[in-house]
Amino acid sequence: MKPFGIKDKLGYMFGDFGNDFTFILSGIMLMKFYSDVMGVSVGLVGTMMMAARFLDAFTDVTMGQIVDRSRPGRKGKFLPWIRRMSAPVAIASFLMYASWFADMPMGFRIFWMFFSYLLWGSIFYTGINIPYGSMASAISADTKDRAQLSSWRTIGATLAGSLIGVALPLIVYYQDAAGNQILSGTRTMVAALICSIGAVICYALCYRLTTERVKVAQKTEKFYFGDLMRDLVKNRALTGIVICSILMLLVQLTMQSMTTYIYPNYFRNVAAQSASGMVGLIVTLGLSPFVVGLQVKLGRKELAVYGSIFGAVVFFVAWMTQTHNAWLYVILYALAYFGLAIFQLICWAMITDVIDDTEVRTGERSDGTIYSVYSFARKLGQAASAGITGLLLSVIGYTAETAYDPTVTRGIFNLSCLVPAVGFAILALALKYLYPLDRKRVETNTRILGEKK
């Protein structure tokens, strides 16, 4: 079998590139699309996103069990699922932005919002994301290779986020007679179609370029959901990374989703919003050559703590400025993104650390099941971001009619700074005190598993 190399890194990168064509589009645009185009309240959209996560508690674990019990084939155990689910997840994503239903009765619009979102997020996205994430352990058993895969996965996600963040504001808005930037339903739908096509292409490249080297055996023993819950409660490493991931997604998606409000409504500068879309790509690519070495020297947990503290400080400073200069805010946003990018670049290697730690403690390896729990945690972070954002926008009085009132726009600025600042601070505390896998313990687990195998 060919050795681990650049094809695997590129293939794994394209997998998350495909994922985030639909995931980031949803995080950035879905709430604003349904509030500004479809007329649904932001509070209801946020509530829907949170409620959907209760269903994901079952669909994610179910998919994890399906993956663990799959029979390995010629391409391995995980890659076949990438091919099977690529088209369904792309189609379901496009259907969420069906602007042709904008004139239908409100009851139908709300029904379509729930139906299309659950179809995409709880069923098809789960069906491709669980095997994709679990596959990292099968590509290579070497901890350094996995650290590189984590970095390349983050690069893929950042490429998708940057492409969407830069191009989307220039495509989906038009200017009304009063000079306000208005979201176009038809243009948003066209953008969603382009993203869906891009997702399918990226999934195909992931399937072609990636090789599974570690043969993961098919699980055959009977599954008991209660036993799984008891094991998870006892698994401190998994519990810690779950909590940290929820907080990280809360910060990331709040930062991204609020750009669709602070730039058009507070700064009235869509060009600055487009420029901020490049921040993630520039920062992530700038950090990626150094992060692998830093995490080996300092430890993944330790490095993530430092990054989170830095992000909290920058956003608090941004709030203190109360600036009306969109370009100053872009600079502060970029500085804060350094803290987020550090965690993003190493978080996928951290979940493989959790899988290894579980095998050392229990003697069993359950890549799909553990990753499904982790994936569910990330969706909880997405839901928390949407729910909190929707609730707080409702509290400050945001509607399509009040979108440019000075009191509302001032509230938008405060939310854009304070919610990520608080999220970063809590994330640093959670990493420090709840997540136990420091550098020494990870190195010990790697040595034990190396001797075992």
Side-chain angles (χ1 to χ4, degrees), residues 19-33 45 49 53 93 96-97 117 120 125 161 164 168 249-261 273 381-383 385-387 389-390 393:
N19 274 345
D20 283 331
F21 259 127
T22 63
F23 184 81
I24 291 180
L25 181 66
S26 168
I28 293 177
M29 291 305 304
L30 191 67
M31 182 176 292
K32 193 167 182 70
F33 173 79
V45 181
M49 290 180 166
R53 302 293 76 86
S93 174
M96 289 195 293
Y97 307 92
Y117 183 74
W120 167 74
Y125 185 80
I164 293 171
L168 209 62
L249 263 293
L250 171 64
V251 172
Q252 176 191 354
L253 295 177
T254 300
M255 287 173 63
Q256 290 176 344
S257 63
M258 288 306 296
T259 61
T260 62
Y261 295 94
Q273 180 183 353
Q382 181 193 21
S385 172
T389 301
L393 285 170

Side-chain angles (χ1 to χ4, degrees), residues 77 79 88 123 188 191 232 262 265 321 340 370 400 414 436:
K77 188 173 185 176
L79 278 169
I123 299 176
T188 303
L232 295 181
I262 191 170
N265 299 81
T321 65
L340 179 64
I370 290 177
N414 291 335

Side-chain angles (χ1 to χ4, degrees), residues 341-362:
I342 287 172
F343 193 108
Q344 288 179 315
L345 284 164
I346 63 179
C347 66
W348 306 110
M350 292 171 78
I351 192 59
T352 59
D353 292 340
V354 173
I355 293 171
D356 287 348
D357 184 72
T358 303
E359 183 178 3
V360 169
R361 291 188 306 101
T362 67

Side-chain angles (χ1 to χ4, degrees), residues 39 86 93 111 122 125 166 179 198 203 212 233 245 252-253 264-265 283-284 315 338 354 364 373 394 445 447-448:
S86 58
S93 174
F111 158 76
S122 297
Y125 185 80
V166 171
Y203 287 137
E212 293 184 26
V233 170
S245 295
Q252 176 191 354
L253 295 177
N265 299 81
V283 171
T284 302
F315 264 119
F338 273 91
V354 173
E364 294 185 4
V373 176
S394 297
N445 288 340
R447 177 180 55 78
I448 292 172

